[in-house]
Amino acid sequence: MSTRRRFKHLLSLNERLEQEAARLRAQAEQLPYGPERDKLMRKARHLETATHVDEWLSSPGLQAPL
């Protein structure tokens, strides 16, 4: 049985998501308007949304459903 490889992240999930979103936005700004640029901007927005969802889920005020 093989063992699972472990990796210790230096940055939190939110920080990694924010960095990737910023990288994608910068890359998209270098492209002319078109489908490729739109695709990168959409990915960046999805990552930003994931950041907000993760913040919401880990907030102390979140109540469990009844």
Side-chain angles (χ1 to χ4, degrees):
M1 183 169 165
S2 63
T3 59
R4 195 170 128 192
R5 289 181 21 185
R6 302 284 175 155
F7 184 80
K8 182 81 170 177
H9 291 286
L10 301 176
L11 301 174
S12 71
L13 175 63
N14 282 345
E15 291 170 332
R16 292 191 314 268
L17 291 173
E18 288 171 358
Q19 283 183 353
E20 182 65 10
R23 185 188 69 76
L24 288 173
R25 280 195 187 279
Q27 187 178 352
E29 289 173 0
Q30 302 299 316
L31 295 173
Y33 288 99
E36 189 63 31
R37 179 184 174 124
D38 292 342
K39 179 179 160 186
L40 290 176
M41 293 298 279
R42 191 176 310 113
K43 277 185 172 183
R45 282 194 306 272
H46 285 234
L47 290 172
E48 290 168 351
T49 301
T51 300
H52 295 304
V53 168
D54 185 59
E55 288 173 358
W56 177 72
L57 288 173
S58 59
S59 70
L62 183 65
Q63 299 291 318
L66 298 175

